[in-house]
């Protein structure tokens, strides 16, 4: 039995050995199948990756070929569309803008800048050049007589830190509506030279820089600060319904003359800055959803302030109207649009535009400017008086009851716009001074600013302080624009 038992154990042993060797051979078989499968898998995978890579290379190659073709056809289109005359005209504009380094001759120094524009003494300053790569074009903002304006983002030219690298400045980009139109490009180039000469001032739209490298191909871009709330005229019209009149009968000084400047005026009014309980009101709410007489007063002073600066250059604006004054969300304003179309008034371009689509704005123009199209600081002062009328009627049309064709005869006959409802009599008196038939008897912008300051010192001193503070902040902001265009200095 013991022999039987041991033979059974041997059998089991032999079986188990046989089984183990069978398992091994199965495992070996499995292993090699696995290896074959893996190799095939990697081979197919690698082949697919290779195919994809080749596909990508072919795509890149075709794309760059297409691009080159497009560029060539753009250049071909450009050269086929422009005649050699146009090309040399663009070359002339380009040359005319360059700084020759010559000093302005004595006799030209006090000439209005529009005169100086005809010479090469008012050059484009190279420090304003911006690399196209640092600009990103954004949405369309509007179109003027000869230019198209878009919003853009500007990258710092020479960022010093990671934070500066990421920063972007929102700007406005102005280009010619049709870059093959020599008149438009030349107006744009003149506007750029003019803006270089104007420099920076809180109530005047500031130049940030320009892209001029492709000017000989008709491409010129003026980069200005972005003023976010549109033009002042539209703002007043839209916000008419929320307007609050701060002008009240003066209850405190009944025995005093009606006005310190015009003692015989019928009404004595002052601006109210206290609530019922005697609590002090904010002079101006920064929110655009609030519009009061104080805001109108502040806008009037700011426009006069900007015009006073332009007059010192000396620059005649020629198209001063609230539609050409831009508003920022902190309620500061910028005079924009320096009347380039008017300088080119002799060109047929100007005439077709102004007679067909944009008639001469006779309601804003002084009689002598309508008569002979001669613009001076005094004709700007007349237009400023009209701006005051627009302000205090909340965007009302000057001479509303008169047809455009009859306006000239109406003002020639000595008739003027009537006193707006929300306007202090002293400010209406100022308007009438601006509308003197004799240009030499109208106040200068310096006198207008002084008049305003005097008026505010007497009736709204808090407001005067407030406006002065706002303008200091704006001057600082404009100074910082240089940081965006400052290019890396070569290491000495
Ligand atoms: N710096 C800016 N910031 C924000 N918007 C602007 C700026 N400049 C212009 N715009 C917008 O673009 C529009 C067109 O401006 P642009 O100065 O070209 O034309 P315009 O004043 O209507 O006409 P023109 O210069 O031909 O007399 C303006 O009405 C304004 O709404």
């Amino acid at each position: 039995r013991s022999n039987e038992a041991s033979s059974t154990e041997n059998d089991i042993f032999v079986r188990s050995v046989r089984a183990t060797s069978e398992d091994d051979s199965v495992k070996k078989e499995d292993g090699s199948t696995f290896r074959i499968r893996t190799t095939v898998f990697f081979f197919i995978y690698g082949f697919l990756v290779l195919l994809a890579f080749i596909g990508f290379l072919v795509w890149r190659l075709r794309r760059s070929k297409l691009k080159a073709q497009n560029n060539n056809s753009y250049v071909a289109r450009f050269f086929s569309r422009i005649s050699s005359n146009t090309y040399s005209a663009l070359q002339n504009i380009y040359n005319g803008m360059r700084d020759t380094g010559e000093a302005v001759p004595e006799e030209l120094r006090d000439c209005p800048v529009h005169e100086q524009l005809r010479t090469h003494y008012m050059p484009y300053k190279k420090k304003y050049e911006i690399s196209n790569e640092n600009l990103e074009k954004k949405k369309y903002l509007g179109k003027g007589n000869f230019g198209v304006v878009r919003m853009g983002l500007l990258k710092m030219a020479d960022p010093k830190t990671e934070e500066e690298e990421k920063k972007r400045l929102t700007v406005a980009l102005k280009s010619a509506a049709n870059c093959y139109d020599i008149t438009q490009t030349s107006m744009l180039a003149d506007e750029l030279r003019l803006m270089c000469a104007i420099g920076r001032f809180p109530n005047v739209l500031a130049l940030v820089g320009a892209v001029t490298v492709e000017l000989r191909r008709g491409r010129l871009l003026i980069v200005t600060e972005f003023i976010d709330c549109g033009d002042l005229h539209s703002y007043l019209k839209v916000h008419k319904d929320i307007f609050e009149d701060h002008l009240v009968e003066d209850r405190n000084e009944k025995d005093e003359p009606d006005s310190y400047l015009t003692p015989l005026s019928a009404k004595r009014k002052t601006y109210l800055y206290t609530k019922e309980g005697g609590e002090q009101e904010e002079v101006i709410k920064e929110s655009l959803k609030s519009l009061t007489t104080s805001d109108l007063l502040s806008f009037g002073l700011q426009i006069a302030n900007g015009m006073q600066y332009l007059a010192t250059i000396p620059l005649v604006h020629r198209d001063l109207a609230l539609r050409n004054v831009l508003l920022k969300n902190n309620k500061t304003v910028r005079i924009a649009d320096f009347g380039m179309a008017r300088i080119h008034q002799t060109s047929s371009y100007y005439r077709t535009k102004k007679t067909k689509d944009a008639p001469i704005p006779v309601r804003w123009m002084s009689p002598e400017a309508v008569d002979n199209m001669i613009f001076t600081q005094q004709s700007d002062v007349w237009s400023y008086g009209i701006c005051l009328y627009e302000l205090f009627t909340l965007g009302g049309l000057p001479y509303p009851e008169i047809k455009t064709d009859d306006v000239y005869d109406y003002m020639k006959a000595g008739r003027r716009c009537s006193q707006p409802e929300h306007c202090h009599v002293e400010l209406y008196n100022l308007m009438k001074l601006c509308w003197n038939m004799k240009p030499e008897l109208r106040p200068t912008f310096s006198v207008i600013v002084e008049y305003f300051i005097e008026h505010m010192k007497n009736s709204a001193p808090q407001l005067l302080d407030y406006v002065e503070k706002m303008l200091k902040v704006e001057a600082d902001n404009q100074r910082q624009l240089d940081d965006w265009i400052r290019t890396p200095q070569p290491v000495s």
Side-chain angles (χ1 to χ4, degrees):
R1 223 185 283 145
S2 70
N3 280 347
E4 259 174 44
S6 69
S7 73
T8 318
E9 274 169 18
N10 278 346
D11 276 357
I12 290 168
F13 175 73
V14 169
R15 257 185 271 138
S16 77
V17 168
R18 204 178 290 150
T20 323
S21 64
E22 273 170 12
D23 277 358
D24 279 353
S25 66
V26 169
K27 267 186 193 162
K28 265 183 200 158
E29 235 171 68
D30 279 356
S32 61
T33 318
F34 177 75
R35 265 199 304 278
I36 291 168
R37 276 191 192 150
T38 320
T39 318
V40 171
F41 172 78
F42 276 115
F43 180 73
I44 292 174
Y45 182 75
F47 182 69
L48 286 177
V49 170
L50 191 71
L51 262 185
F53 183 66
I54 292 172
F56 174 72
L57 282 183
V58 171
W59 174 75
R60 281 290 298 266
L61 211 70
R62 288 198 60 180
R63 202 178 69 149
S64 54
K65 259 193 178 174
L66 265 174
K67 255 192 173 175
Q69 269 173 9
N70 279 345
N71 278 347
N72 286 343
S73 64
Y74 168 75
V75 173
R77 260 204 328 270
F78 173 76
F79 281 110
S80 66
R81 280 175 75 170
I82 64 162
S83 64
S84 59
N85 281 352
T86 314
Y87 186 72
S88 63
L90 286 171
Q91 181 73 44
N92 282 346
I93 298 173
Y94 181 79
N95 293 342
M97 278 174 53
R98 303 291 116 179
D99 196 346
T100 57
E102 287 173 58
V104 185
E106 197 66 47
E107 66 274 15
L108 272 179
R109 245 171 236 166
D110 295 327
C111 261
V113 280
H114 290 109
E115 294 292 321
Q116 291 181 36
L117 265 182
R118 300 205 182 99
T119 67
H120 63 270
Y121 296 109
M122 191 189 282
Y124 163 65
K125 294 179 184 149
K126 228 180 151 203
K127 68 163 188 169
Y128 285 116
E129 189 66 22
I130 289 176
S131 160
N132 220 348
E133 284 160 17
N134 289 342
L135 275 173
E136 199 184 324
K137 283 185 189 152
K138 291 282 175 186
K139 67 175 183 190
Y140 168 87
L141 290 174
K143 197 172 182 298
N145 278 313
F146 65 96
V148 179
V149 182
R150 288 179 167 278
M151 197 173 116
L153 294 179
L154 175 67
K155 203 174 151 225
M156 233 178 216
D158 183 22
K160 297 271 187 288
T161 61
E162 228 172 84
E163 200 190 318
E164 284 187 355
E165 176 75 44
K166 286 185 199 144
K167 267 167 91 179
R168 296 292 178 273
L169 176 72
T170 308
V171 287
L173 310 172
K174 189 168 183 172
S175 53
N178 171 7
C179 66
Y180 304 114
D181 184 323
I182 290 301
T183 314
Q184 289 185 4
T185 306
S186 142
M187 284 183 188
L188 206 65
D190 280 356
E191 185 165 345
L192 174 58
R193 290 162 65 205
L194 201 63
M195 289 187 93
C196 287
I198 290 172
R200 292 179 181 144
F201 189 77
N203 294 124
V204 177
L205 184 68
L207 177 71
V208 177
V211 181
T212 70
V213 278
E214 288 191 77
L215 175 57
R216 279 166 292 182
R217 284 215 229 152
R219 288 204 211 145
L220 175 63
L221 210 56
I222 299 185
V223 184
T224 64
E225 41 176 1
F226 174 68
I227 308 298
D228 52 352
C229 301
D231 70 272
L232 191 51
H233 181 255
S234 311
Y235 169 75
L236 293 179
K237 289 216 81 125
V238 171
H239 293 82
K240 223 176 167 150
D241 294 340
I242 57 157
F243 176 73
E244 276 173 50
D245 197 345
H246 274 174
L247 205 55
V248 290
E249 297 291 336
D250 195 341
R251 287 160 294 183
N252 304 324
E253 299 162 62
K254 286 225 161 29
D255 304 330
E256 295 283 312
D258 283 348
S259 153
Y260 76 99
L261 286 173
T262 53
L264 297 176
S265 67
K267 289 177 190 162
R268 178 174 176 77
K269 287 192 171 181
T270 190
Y271 302 92
L272 181 73
Y273 293 112
T274 44
K275 291 181 185 161
E276 286 297 297
E279 194 189 327
Q280 183 78 24
E281 276 254 30
E282 267 176 285
V283 281
I284 281 187
K285 288 199 179 78
E286 259 203 29
S287 158
L288 290 180
K289 292 203 175 108
S290 149
L291 176 65
T292 68
T293 338
S294 305
D295 289 307
L296 306 181
L297 206 56
S298 149
F299 296 147
L301 174 62
Q302 291 186 59
I303 298 170
N305 192 38
M307 288 307 293
Q308 181 192 13
Y309 173 73
L310 293 180
T312 60
I313 290 185
L315 180 130
V316 179
H317 188 289
R318 300 165 183 237
D319 199 7
L320 183 59
L322 289 199
R323 61 180 174 276
N324 287 330
V325 177
L326 298 173
L327 175 68
K328 239 184 121 169
N329 61 7
N330 61 359
K331 289 188 173 167
T332 55
V333 301
R334 301 281 198 275
I335 296 167
D337 201 2
F338 309 104
M340 295 313 299
R342 298 283 180 87
I343 302 168
H344 292 255
Q345 58 192 270
T346 47
S347 74
S348 58
Y349 172 82
Y350 173 80
R351 263 192 238 123
T352 37
K353 276 289 177 200
K354 285 290 172 191
T355 48
K356 265 197 199 157
D357 311 327
I360 291 174
V362 68
R363 291 174 195 271
W364 282 262
M365 284 163 73
S366 64
E368 78 279 2
V370 181
D371 272 340
N372 50 27
M373 294 294 274
I374 290 177
F375 297 89
T376 57
Q377 194 200 146
Q378 285 73 32
S379 61
D380 273 354
V381 166
W382 178 291
S383 309
Y384 174 77
I386 300 286
C387 285
L388 286 183
Y389 178 84
E390 288 187 278
L391 278 176
F392 288 95
T393 50
L394 303 167
L397 184 75
Y399 322 96
E401 68 287 4
I402 310 296
K403 282 198 231 139
T404 306
D405 287 346
D406 299 334
V407 166
Y408 175 76
D409 291 334
Y410 186 81
M411 53 189 187
K412 269 284 203 191
R415 312 280 299 274
R416 298 290 180 262
C417 295
S418 48
Q419 182 175 348
E421 188 190 340
H422 311 294
C423 176
H424 195 290
V425 69
E426 284 173 11
L427 295 181
Y428 185 56
N429 288 338
L430 176 61
M431 289 181 209
K432 287 192 289 187
L433 292 175
C434 296
W435 298 330
N436 197 309
M437 192 56 93
K438 291 191 175 147
E440 64 281 10
L441 295 183
R442 293 173 204 153
T444 61
F445 281 110
S446 312
V447 170
I448 294 174
V449 169
E450 271 169 34
Y451 188 109
F452 245 95
I453 290 177
E454 204 56 34
H455 172 67
M456 285 163 86
K457 269 186 190 161
N458 280 280
S459 44
Q462 309 94 313
L463 180 60
L464 184 60
D465 290 346
Y466 184 86
V467 175
E468 274 171 1
K469 269 187 210 136
M470 276 201 308
L471 295 187
K472 268 192 195 132
V473 173
E474 286 307 294
D476 268 352
N477 289 340
Q478 287 190 338
R479 260 192 293 277
Q480 282 165 25
L481 292 177
D482 277 337
D483 298 345
W484 291 85
I485 55 168
R486 196 169 295 124
T487 44
Q489 290 303 306
V491 190
S492 53

